[in-house]
Amino acid sequence: MEQHLLLKPESSLHKTENNHLSKSKANCRSGLAGAVLHIINCWALFGGFLLLSVVAMNVASVVGGVVWKPFPGDFELTQVAVANAAFAFLPYCQINNKNVTADIFTAGASPQTVLFFRLFASLIALLFATLLCWRMYEGMMNQYQYDYTTAIVQFPIWLAFLPVLGSLLLLAIAALISFGDELRAIMKA
């Protein structure tokens, strides 16, 4: 029985090392791509911090509603923070190749075909990020021009667009980097 328990952690450790090696491919960058990767990782951590802040604010609002009075405008700030957090995770998912995929369609495909689909997906992500960046900028300027604010907190809505634009810019850069990675991989194959 003891030998069985001793062998199990070793085999799981070996699997963990192999998974770590395959996952660290995106993290082994240098130069400008390495700097961009560091910024993207920090930006994703910022998104996580926003979500934790939303949880803390909502807990304070619920407890405050029971004990004293609720946090005013908590739902407005929740909307802004969750939207910004969701966009903050997009560049991280792109650069680490962690976007949602339908592997059932490529399970029997050759590695070359899978690389081609990844290349195509990176191009789509680049176009998507560019289009959204342009439209979000126009939307932000519209919100700024008409001085729209939230109803309770009077938070200027255009300010919520700034981190989203930063996320979309990072997404475009991440898509460009992953497009180059996939193109190099196709050329090698």
Side-chain angles (χ1 to χ4, degrees):
M1 185 75 165
E2 269 183 53
Q3 289 176 344
H4 177 67
L5 291 174
L6 290 175
L7 290 176
K8 205 168 193 172
E10 288 177 20
S11 63
S12 64
L13 177 65
H14 180 67
K15 288 179 184 175
T16 304
E17 287 174 6
N18 287 340
N19 287 343
H20 176 68
L21 291 175
S22 64
K23 288 179 183 178
S24 67
K25 176 188 164 198
N27 295 328
C28 296
R29 299 182 191 274
S30 59
L32 184 59
V36 168
L37 178 67
H38 180 71
I39 291 169
I40 287 171
N41 286 336
C42 290
W43 195 247
L45 288 172
F46 168 70
F49 172 75
L50 280 176
L51 287 181
L52 289 175
S53 299
V54 165
V55 170
M57 178 185 60
N58 282 304
V59 167
S61 181
V62 169
V63 171
V66 171
V67 176
W68 186 45
K69 65 178 185 176
F71 190 87
D74 59 341
F75 62 92
E76 295 173 348
L77 296 176
T78 296
Q79 288 175 339
V80 169
V82 169
N84 279 293
F87 275 93
F89 298 137
L90 291 176
Y92 180 84
C93 291
Q94 179 64 39
I95 199 76
N96 289 298
N97 199 21
K98 299 297 179 191
N99 287 317
V100 176
T101 58
D103 292 339
I104 193 167
F105 297 114
T106 58
S110 69
Q112 191 76 8
T113 303
V114 173
L115 281 174
F116 175 75
F117 280 130
R118 282 186 178 170
L119 180 75
F120 184 68
S122 295
L123 180 62
I124 294 297
L126 177 61
L127 295 173
F128 171 77
T130 305
L131 175 68
L132 271 182
C133 199
W134 165 51
R135 296 313 303 158
M136 284 289 192
Y137 176 77
E138 292 295 328
M140 180 188 72
M141 294 311 293
N142 192 13
Q143 297 290 325
Y144 177 76
Q145 184 180 16
Y146 292 107
D147 199 27
Y148 287 129
T149 60
T150 59
I152 296 173
V153 183
Q154 297 297 308
F155 180 78
I157 294 174
W158 71 271
L159 287 175
F161 283 72
L162 291 173
V164 171
L165 286 171
S167 294
L168 291 171
L169 181 63
L170 286 173
L171 175 60
I173 294 168
L176 193 59
I177 290 171
S178 60
F179 181 83
D181 289 347
E182 302 305 337
L183 191 60
R184 280 189 292 282
I186 287 175
M187 297 298 185
K188 282 183 181 179

